[in-house]
Amino acid sequence: RAPYDTVITHGFFVDGAGRKMSKSLGNVIAPEEVIKRHGAELLRLWVAATDYREEMRISDEILTGFIEAYRRLRNTCRFLVSNLYDFDPARDAVAVERLPELDRWALHRTSVLAERCAAAYEAFEFHLVYHALNNFCSVDLSAFYLDVLKDRLYCERADGPERRAAQTALHGILDVLVRLMAPILSFTAEEVWAHVPGSGRAESVFLAGLPPVPATWRDDVLAARYDQL
């Protein structure tokens, strides 16, 4: 709390209208209030998403945008987890080369995401991690892949090859996504990690490390064709 108050006193933060925040002006948004109203994860997400090399803007309107972004990330994880309730990767996983091309495209996009996030973490560009995760969940997954996948997940035979292929891709995506989220959404990532199926995993997501993505997931030729489509 003390370092935050010191920063506020020096007017480092600005509100949504661009005015310097100051205790004397009474326009300070205290972190305790953000946590009380929205939870610590939202405050962590705002910090990660803000480019610290520029003036850091915060307001109720800005926080509302991050509420929606957080819900999108959390609900994506919820969808992935809820469709893996009967999936055992050791028993049910399908080899990558046998997956339908839509699933291989999704794994390719996951590989690209992991590469971008790893580079951003290495360079301390945390806002790039936020944007990459948000775009992946909203554009690649929610708006396309997961929407198309629902027929296979809900209508095919439970242990049929079509559904197991879909679950194989979902499991791979979830394993990567939750590890990439962990440094900036720690509580959420740890909660999700407890529900990722499969034995032999680290007890905590923070003991698992950043995801080592298989080279077989990368398929630039397939990705180029899907970009054209």
Side-chain angles (χ1 to χ4, degrees):
R1 179 176 178 180
Y4 187 96
D5 286 345
T6 301
V7 172
I8 289 295
T9 301
H10 287 83
F12 180 77
F13 289 89
V14 297
D15 63 15
R19 298 169 299 188
K20 295 289 186 180
M21 282 192 167
S22 168
K23 288 181 177 179
S24 61
L25 294 177
N27 63 345
V28 172
I29 297 180
E32 293 88 348
E33 288 300 315
V34 177
I35 293 173
K36 182 179 179 180
R37 292 173 58 190
H38 305 298
E41 288 290 72
L42 187 74
L43 186 63
R44 294 177 64 90
L45 189 62
W46 171 77
V47 171
T50 305
D51 189 346
Y52 53 81
R53 296 166 301 188
E54 302 175 359
E55 290 184 325
M56 302 178 73
R57 299 177 182 275
I58 187 170
S59 67
D60 288 335
E61 291 76 13
I62 291 173
L63 290 175
T64 297
F66 284 109
I67 291 172
E68 294 303 315
Y70 173 72
R71 286 176 178 168
R72 185 177 300 112
L73 292 168
R74 185 178 178 87
N75 287 340
T76 299
C77 290
R78 178 184 294 176
F79 181 90
L80 297 174
V81 168
S82 66
N83 280 283
L84 293 171
Y85 69 92
D86 63 342
F87 181 77
D88 180 355
R91 179 194 65 205
D92 303 318
V94 178
V96 174
E97 61 272 13
R98 292 173 49 208
L99 293 175
E101 67 174 27
L102 181 62
D103 298 324
R104 288 188 282 113
W105 172 85
L107 292 179
H108 168 85
R109 294 298 301 165
T110 306
S111 175
V112 173
L113 171 73
E115 184 178 301
R116 288 176 178 171
C117 288
Y121 277 129
E122 188 70 23
F124 301 99
E125 301 273 9
F126 306 115
H127 62 289
L128 297 183
V129 176
Y130 160 75
H131 288 299
L133 291 173
N134 188 45
N135 289 339
F136 179 72
C137 289
S138 61
V139 179
D140 291 334
L141 295 186
S142 296
F144 178 48
Y145 179 63
L146 299 182
D147 192 44
V148 175
L149 211 61
K150 289 177 182 177
D151 284 344
R152 266 197 283 157
L153 290 171
Y154 301 160
C155 302
E156 296 292 344
R157 194 176 78 245
D159 60 348
E162 298 88 354
R163 184 166 178 270
R164 290 306 190 200
Q167 288 180 308
T168 298
L170 294 185
H171 181 264
I173 293 169
L174 179 62
D175 181 69
V176 170
L177 184 61
V178 68
R179 296 197 208 191
L180 294 176
M181 288 169 47
I184 61 176
L185 289 174
S186 303
F187 300 111
T188 303
E190 188 76 328
E191 182 182 4
V192 173
W193 185 256
H195 298 281
V196 178
S199 59
R201 295 182 301 107
E203 182 179 355
S204 167
V205 68
F206 300 105
L207 299 175
L210 290 179
V213 178
T216 53
W217 287 14
R218 195 68 180 239
D219 193 335
D220 293 318
V221 174
L222 178 65
R225 186 155 59 85
Y226 267 66
D227 285 344
Q228 188 176 23
L229 291 173

